[in-house]
Amino acid sequence: MAPSWWGKDARANGGGGTPVVVKMDNPNWSISEVSASEVAPGSPAGGGGGKAGRGKNARQITWVLLLKAHRAAGRLTGAASAALAVAVAARRRVAAGRTDSDAAPGENTALRTGFYGCIRVFLVLSLLLLAVEVAAYLQGWHLDVGEGLLAVDGLFAAAYAGWMRTRLDYLAPPLQFLTSACVVLFLIQSVDRLVLCLGCFWIKLKGIKPVPLAAGKEDFEAGVEDFPMVLVQMPMCNEREVYQQSIGAVCSLDWPRSNFLVQVLDDSDDATTSALIKEEVEKWQREGVRIIYRHRVIRDGYKAGNLKSAMNCSYVKDYEFVVIFDADFQPQADFLKHTVPHFKGKDDVGLVQARWSFVNKDENLLTRLQSINLCFHFEVEQQVNGAFLNFFGFNGTAGVWRIKALEDSGGWMERTTVEDMDIAVRAHLKGWKFVYLNDVECQCELPESYEAYRKQQHRWHSGPMQLFRLCFVDIIKSKIGFWKKFNLIFLFFLLRKLILPFYSFTLFCVILPMTMFVPEAELPAWVVCYIPATMSILNILPAPKSFPFIVPYLLFENTMSVTKFGAMISGLFQLGSAYEWVVTKKSGRSSEGDLVALVEKHSKQQRVGSAPNLDALTKEESNPKKDAKKKHNRIYRKELALSFLLLTAAARSLLSAQGIHFYFLLFQGVSFLVVGLDLIGEQVE
C-alpha cells in the first residue's frame, strides 16, 4: 500500500479546502472525503494556518491530477496494445495470403466467385463516385443543382450536371421503390418478431408448459415392463474430439438396459478415428450396455443416409421410440424420463424436442453472439410455435421421435442438407403434433472459428430453400387447415427463411450505401437505427447477461447476412454449393473439460473399463502436444470488399452531413473488416 496524503480542514480557519484521502494501490487508487469531525483538533489535518492549509490543498490536487493522468495513461496503453495486436494479426493474415478462394475438396466456388466479382465492381464504382463527389464538393457544386451549375464552363462541370440529372431522373426512382419494398418487408418481419416475443411473454405469464399424462419418474416405478423400448442413435463423422464423452453420457442414461439400444453410426473416413470409436463401443459392451457399432464405407446421403441405413435394421421393429444425439451432445442421465412420458396417452404426438445448452458460449466473442441467436430460437421461436401451433422445425438432435411417425412420413430422405426440417414438415403434413420442452436441456458445443460457423450457416440457410421448392406442391395439396398452410408457407419458409436474409443484405449492405451516392433516394433514420436497435433488444431478452454485446450483435448479424443471402440464393436456384455438406468442426473443449473436472472431483472413477485415463488427460492438458492439427485463419474476400464499400459510403455521407447514416456505415464497415480478416472467433498462431 502506498502512502496516504491527508488534506487540511481549513474550514475552521475560514478556508474552503476539502479534506481528501488519496489511497494508491497500484494500479488502482481511490479518493475519499474526511469530515472535520473525523479529524483530531491537534492533528496536522485539523488545525494550522490558512497558508499552510492552502499549500497542502494544492499538493492534494496535484497528486489527484497526477494519479488520474496515470490511470488514463494505463488505459491508453491497454487500448494501444490491443490495437497493435489486431494490427499484427491483420498483417499476418495478409502476409499468409490464405483466402476463402482456397476451395476444399469437392467444394463448388462458382457462386462465391461471381458474388465477389459483383461486390468488387460496386466497390470500384463507389471509389470513382467518391472522388467525383469530393471534387464537386470542393467546387461548391453540390449546393447548386439547377441552372447555376449549367452556367459553369468546363467539361467536368457539364459531366457532373449530367450525372446529377441521371441520378434524379433514372436512378433515384427505382432505388426509392426498392428501398420502400425492403422497408415494408423489414416491418413485416419486425412485427413477426414482436408477436413471437409477446407469445413468449404470455407463456411465462400464464405458466404454460407441456405436462405429460404420466406422472414422470413415479410412473415408472412399477417395473421394467412400464419402460417403453427406446432406440438411441448417434450419427458421427470424423469427430474424434467429442465421441468419447458423448458415448459415455448416452450409455449412462437412466433407463433399464434391457429396454434401450444404442447405435453408434460412424461415417468416418479416417481409419484411426473409426478404430477409436469402435474401441470405445467395445468397452461399454463389456460393461453390459446394449450398444452396436455401425460403419458405412460409402457415405451416401450424409447424415440422412446414415440414419436411413440404421432404420433399415431388422431389430428396429422391436422399438417404439428413437432418440437422436449428434456426436457433441451429452444428455443428462434423466433425459429419457423427462421426454418419453410426453408420448403416453397422446397417440398423435410424433416428436418431443429438448433445448440445447452450450458449454463453450463464453469461449470468445463469436460463441457469445451465437448463443444470443440460439437462445432466442429456443426460448421464443420453438417454445411459442410448440405451445400454440404444435409444430416447429426439428433441430436434428436432442429429440425423441415416435418410430411410427417417422415411417408414416416417409422416413429419412437425402434430397436436401436439412433432413431434420424435411422430416418435420412431412410429419406435420401427415397431422402429427410436436412437443417442445424448454426446461429439458442437452449440452453441446458451438463452433469456435468463423470458418466452421460460416459453413454451418450456409447449410442451414440453403437447405430450407431446397426443401421449399420440393414440398411447396405437397403443402398446397395436403389436408391440413388453411391457417396451418399459411403458417408453413408464409411464416415458416418465406418470411423467416427467405425474406429475412434477403432484406438484411439488400437493405443494409446494398441500398444504404447506394443512397449515399444517390441522395435523392432516402432511407429514413428510423430504419437504419431505431427499428434494428429495438429488434436487437428483443432478440437479446432471452439472454439478459449478453446485453453488453448488443451493439456487436447487431453489427455481426448484418455482417452474416452476406453468407446467409448467398446460401439462400444457392438453395433457391439449386446451384452447386447448395448441396455442400461440411461437418461442423468440434473443439472437444466440453469433453476434455468435463473429464478433467472429474479428475479433480473424484480420485477414483467407478467406470474404469469405459473411461479414458483421466490422469493422463490432465497431464496432457498441462503439456499440450506440439504436433497438433494445423489450422489457419484466412481472409474472406466478400466481407473485406464490403467493408471497403461501406467505409467509402460512410466517407460520402460526410458530404451530405448524415450523422446516423455515417456512424452506422462506419461501424458496420469496421465489423465487416474484422470478420473479413478473420479476427473474430478462434485465433490460430
Side-chain angles (χ1 to χ4, degrees):
M1 177 73 68
S4 301
W5 292 270
W6 291 80
K8 179 183 287 292
D9 186 3
R11 282 176 293 186
N13 300 321
T18 301
V20 175
V21 177
V22 180
K23 297 181 179 180
M24 184 174 179
D25 189 3
N26 195 27
N28 298 317
W29 52 274
S30 61
I31 305 174
S32 59
E33 293 188 4
V34 181
S35 63
S37 60
E38 297 176 353
V39 182
S43 66
K51 291 184 178 180
R54 285 193 294 271
K56 289 194 174 183
N57 282 337
R59 286 196 297 273
Q60 294 163 9
I61 294 173
T62 303
W63 276 108
V64 169
L65 293 177
L66 287 174
L67 292 172
K68 285 186 177 181
H70 178 267
R71 194 171 190 179
R75 289 178 176 175
L76 288 175
T77 303
S81 299
L84 181 61
V86 170
V88 170
R91 180 179 177 276
R92 189 165 54 241
R93 304 281 191 281
V94 176
R98 296 186 181 90
T99 68
D100 57 346
S101 62
D102 303 331
E107 185 178 3
N108 191 313
T109 59
L111 174 65
R112 192 167 61 194
T113 303
F115 196 11
Y116 170 66
C118 293
I119 296 174
R120 191 167 54 181
V121 169
F122 274 107
L123 175 60
V124 172
L125 288 176
S126 68
L127 290 172
L128 292 175
L129 289 176
L130 178 62
V132 170
E133 294 293 345
V134 169
Y137 183 85
L138 295 176
Q139 296 290 333
W141 295 343
H142 65 292
L143 300 174
D144 202 350
V145 183
E147 298 179 356
L149 182 58
L150 297 176
V152 179
D153 295 330
L155 181 61
F156 181 66
Y160 186 72
W163 159 243
M164 294 186 71
R165 286 196 301 271
T166 302
R167 228 167 55 185
L168 183 62
D169 298 335
Y170 301 103
L171 297 181
L175 182 59
Q176 188 64 60
F177 174 79
L178 182 60
T179 302
S180 302
C182 285
V183 168
V184 171
L185 295 178
F186 181 33
L187 292 177
I188 293 174
Q189 199 275 333
S190 300
V191 170
D192 174 61
R193 189 60 54 94
L194 180 61
V195 170
L196 286 173
C197 290
L198 291 175
C200 183
F201 175 74
W202 183 257
I203 290 173
K204 299 291 184 184
L205 183 65
K206 296 296 182 178
I208 301 173
K209 60 183 299 185
V211 178
L213 295 182
K217 294 182 180 180
E218 293 78 7
D219 189 70
F220 295 121
E221 294 296 331
V224 174
E225 63 275 4
D226 293 314
F227 290 80
M229 299 294 288
V230 177
L231 178 67
V232 182
Q233 295 181 330
M234 299 185 67
M236 55 184 64
C237 179
N238 295 327
E239 291 166 295
R240 184 174 181 174
E241 297 83 2
V242 294
Y243 76 91
Q244 197 170 48
Q245 188 73 357
S246 297
I247 291 177
V250 169
C251 291
S252 301
L253 288 171
D254 186 10
W255 203 257
R257 290 188 174 182
S258 60
N259 289 46
F260 85 101
L261 172 69
V262 180
Q263 287 181 319
V264 177
L265 311 176
D266 182 24
D267 264 4
S268 303
D269 54 12
D270 177 63
T272 304
T273 302
S274 296
L276 290 171
I277 295 174
K278 187 175 182 180
E279 181 184 357
E280 183 69 15
V281 170
E282 291 172 350
K283 288 180 181 179
W284 282 101
Q285 286 175 343
R286 290 192 293 270
E287 287 288 316
V289 176
R290 299 176 66 238
I291 181 170
I292 296 175
Y293 174 82
R294 287 176 53 86
H295 180 260
R296 295 196 309 162
V297 178
I298 301 176
R299 192 179 166 222
D300 289 336
Y302 304 111
K303 181 180 176 181
N306 199 359
L307 295 171
K308 181 179 180 180
S309 174
M311 292 298 293
N312 289 331
C313 295
S314 59
Y315 52 78
V316 172
K317 66 179 184 297
D318 299 326
Y319 294 85
E320 186 177 358
F321 304 105
V322 58
V323 192
I324 301 170
F325 294 111
D326 282 352
D328 60 316
F329 278 72
Q330 302 168 20
Q332 299 294 324
D334 57 357
F335 180 88
L336 293 178
K337 288 190 173 180
H338 283 299
T339 53
V340 174
H342 287 271
F343 289 98
K344 187 173 183 180
K346 303 176 183 177
D347 295 336
D348 57 348
V349 173
L351 168 68
V352 174
Q353 173 71 58
R355 178 175 179 160
W356 299 359
S357 61
F358 312 106
V359 296
N360 61 336
K361 64 180 179 180
D362 297 326
E363 185 64 32
N364 54 45
L365 179 60
L366 178 61
T367 57
R368 285 179 180 272
L369 300 180
Q370 289 179 69
S371 68
I372 295 173
N373 253 344
L374 290 171
C375 281
F376 181 86
H377 169 70
F378 286 105
E379 184 80 22
V380 179
E381 291 180 342
Q382 296 290 76
Q383 188 171 206
V384 170
N385 289 325
F388 297 108
L389 301 175
N390 296 120
F391 168 73
F392 47 81
F394 173 45
N395 293 117
T397 178
V400 185
W401 276 96
R402 189 188 297 271
I403 293 181
K404 183 180 178 181
L406 285 178
E407 294 172 345
D408 182 50
S409 306
W412 298 104
M413 293 185 180
E414 309 98 321
R415 57 183 183 172
T416 71
T417 58
V418 283
E419 74 294 326
D420 45 8
M421 185 182 294
D422 188 359
I423 189 66
V425 170
R426 286 185 280 119
H428 182 56
L429 296 181
K430 289 289 185 178
W432 292 98
K433 295 182 179 180
F434 300 166
V435 174
Y436 173 72
L437 304 178
N438 193 56
D439 54 352
V440 179
E441 298 184 356
C442 189
Q443 277 191 346
C444 65
E445 279 191 23
L446 292 167
E448 294 183 8
S449 69
Y450 178 68
E451 177 68 13
Y453 180 62
R454 187 176 66 91
K455 290 180 178 179
Q456 181 197 68
Q457 292 300 303
H458 184 278
R459 188 175 77 246
W460 286 4
H461 286 82
S462 65
M465 290 298 98
Q466 301 173 36
L467 181 61
F468 180 64
R469 286 172 55 98
L470 294 170
C471 69
F472 177 74
V473 175
D474 294 334
I475 296 174
I476 297 297
K477 293 181 178 180
S478 67
K479 297 180 181 179
I480 61 175
F482 171 79
W483 289 112
K484 288 187 176 181
K485 291 181 181 179
F486 174 81
N487 171 70
L488 203 54
I489 294 175
F490 180 72
L491 295 179
F492 186 76
F493 278 114
L494 292 181
L495 185 60
R496 297 168 190 165
K497 302 298 188 296
L498 189 149
I499 292 176
L500 178 58
F502 171 78
Y503 88 74
S504 296
F505 173 74
T506 306
L507 190 61
F508 297 111
C509 300
V510 177
I511 292 178
L512 179 57
M514 288 181 68
T515 56
M516 297 299 101
F517 296 99
V518 186
E520 292 80 5
E522 296 182 0
L523 188 61
W526 56 268
V527 176
V528 177
C529 180
Y530 305 124
I531 298 297
T534 303
M535 291 301 103
S536 296
I537 292 174
L538 292 179
N539 283 7
I540 214 167
L541 281 177
K545 293 183 179 179
S546 299
F547 261 100
F549 301 95
I550 186 169
V551 174
Y553 170 74
L554 171 61
L555 298 175
F556 182 68
E557 280 301 289
N558 290 334
T559 305
M560 283 304 300
S561 66
V562 183
T563 297
K564 296 175 181 179
F565 176 80
M568 181 268 292
I569 293 296
S570 68
L572 188 63
F573 297 103
Q574 300 292 286
L575 302 178
S577 60
Y579 294 96
E580 293 173 3
W581 180 288
V582 181
V583 177
T584 304
K585 180 66 178 175
K586 313 298 191 306
S587 65
R589 295 184 189 275
S590 59
S591 301
E592 295 175 6
D594 291 343
L595 291 172
V596 173
L598 286 174
V599 174
E600 297 173 352
K601 187 176 181 180
H602 303 288
S603 58
K604 293 183 179 180
Q605 181 63 258
Q606 294 179 355
R607 297 195 305 264
V608 178
S610 61
N613 188 335
L614 302 182
D615 295 323
L617 182 58
T618 310
K619 295 178 181 178
E620 186 178 340
E621 283 279 306
S622 58
N623 299 307
K625 295 180 179 179
K626 295 182 180 179
D627 300 329
K629 289 184 178 180
K630 291 184 178 180
K631 295 182 289 184
H632 304 283
N633 293 104
R634 56 178 62 189
I635 293 175
Y636 297 95
R637 299 178 301 166
K638 295 194 304 292
E639 287 80 356
L640 207 57
L642 274 170
S643 73
F644 295 138
L645 175 61
L646 293 173
L647 292 174
T648 303
R652 172 61 181 87
S653 70
L654 288 176
L655 304 180
S656 305
Q658 299 185 10
I660 291 180
H661 296 72
F662 166 74
Y663 288 113
F664 183 88
L665 288 166
L666 176 64
F667 291 128
Q668 192 63 68
V670 171
S671 175
F672 270 103
L673 183 64
V674 169
V675 173
L677 293 175
D678 201 5
L679 297 173
I680 187 172
E682 184 182 24
Q683 297 298 302
V684 181
E685 294 294 338

